[in-house]
C-alpha cells in the first residue's frame, strides 16, 4: 500500500506492564527514502529516571544500523524535559511553528521542529 511505511519500535516493560513506547516512522515514499519521524511516550511514573534517554539512544542506534539518513520530530516548545532530552541526544532546533498546538490549558503553544542526521 502506498504511503504505509515501515519503521522501528521499542517498548519498555516493567513487571509485565508496558511503561514506555518509542518509535521511528519511515514513510515508504521514494522521495522520503531514509527519512524518519520519531515519537516517544513514557508512563508518568517512569519519568526522570533515564528511561527516555536510554530509549532514544537505542532507537537512534537502530536507525543508524538500519541505514536511515535523518530523524525528525516536532515537540511543544514548553516541554522542557523532552527538548532537553532531544538536544542531549544530538537533535537541533531547525524551526518553530507558531501556535501550532492547542494545549489542555486552553492556550496555543509553539511547536519546535527538530532533527538529526544520524
Ligand atoms: C519526554 C520524556 C520522553 C523524557 O523521558 P525521561 O525518561 O523522563 O527523561 P530522562 O530521565 O532520560 O531525562 C532527560 C533529561 O531531561 C532533563 N529534564 C527533566 N525534566 C526537565 C525539565 N523540566 N526541564 C529541563 N530538563 C529536564 C533531565 O534532567 C535529563 O537531563 P540530564 O540527563 O542532562 O540530567 C518523558 O518525560 C515523557 O514520556 N513525557 C511525556 C510524553 C512526551 O512529552 N513525549 C515527547 C513528545 S515530543
Amino acid at each position: 500500500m502506498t504511503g504505509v511505511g515501515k519503521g522501528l519500535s521499542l517498548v519498555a516493560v516493567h513487571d509485565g506492564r508496558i511503561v514506555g513506547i518509542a518509535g521511528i516512522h519511515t514513510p515508504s515514499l521514494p522521495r522520503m527514502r531514509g527519512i524518519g519521524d520519531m515519537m516517544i511516550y513514557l508512563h508518568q511514573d517512569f519519568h526522570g529516571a533515564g528511561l527516555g534517554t536510554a530509549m532514544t539512544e537505542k532507537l537512534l542506534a537502530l536507525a543508524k544500523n538500519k541505514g536511515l539518513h535523518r530523524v525528525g520530530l516536532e515537540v511543544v516548545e514548553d516541554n522542557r524535559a523532552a527538548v532537553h532530552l532531544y538536544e542531549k541526544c544530538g537533535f537541533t532546533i531547525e524551526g518553530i511553528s507558531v501556535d501550532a498546538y492547542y494545549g489542555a490549558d486552553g492556550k496555543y503553544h509553539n511547536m519546535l521542529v527538530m532533527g538529526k542526521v544520524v
Side-chain angles (χ1 to χ4, degrees):
M1 270 191 296
T2 306
V4 176
K6 300 171 188 167
L8 297 164
S9 300
L10 282 181
V11 174
V13 178
H14 179 77
D15 283 346
R17 291 169 55 216
I18 293 174
V19 299
I21 54 172
I24 298 175
H25 173 68
T26 54
S28 57
L29 301 168
R31 300 277 76 82
M32 296 291 284
R33 180 189 173 114
I35 296 169
D37 291 313
M38 182 181 156
M39 58 74 66
I40 181 166
Y41 195 94
L42 310 182
H43 187 284
Q44 60 189 15
D45 291 350
F46 293 82
H47 290 185
L51 183 57
T53 300
M55 292 184 79
T56 302
E57 288 176 345
K58 178 69 176 173
L59 207 49
L60 291 172
L62 289 170
K64 191 177 181 76
N65 197 40
K66 195 180 175 184
L68 285 194
H69 176 69
R70 170 202 158 85
V71 177
L73 58 87
E74 290 188 36
V75 58
V76 179
E77 186 175 36
D78 307 335
N79 191 345
R80 300 315 307 167
V83 174
H84 180 85
L85 164 64
Y86 296 140
E87 287 185 320
K88 192 174 74 166
C89 291
F91 288 85
T92 57
I93 297 170
E94 300 173 335
I96 301 176
S97 300
V98 175
D99 282 359
Y101 181 84
Y102 184 70
D105 58 2
K107 296 177 181 168
Y108 288 99
H109 297 258
N110 296 340
M111 297 285 287
L112 301 182
V113 178
M114 301 186 76
K116 174 184 171 72
V117 174
V118 295

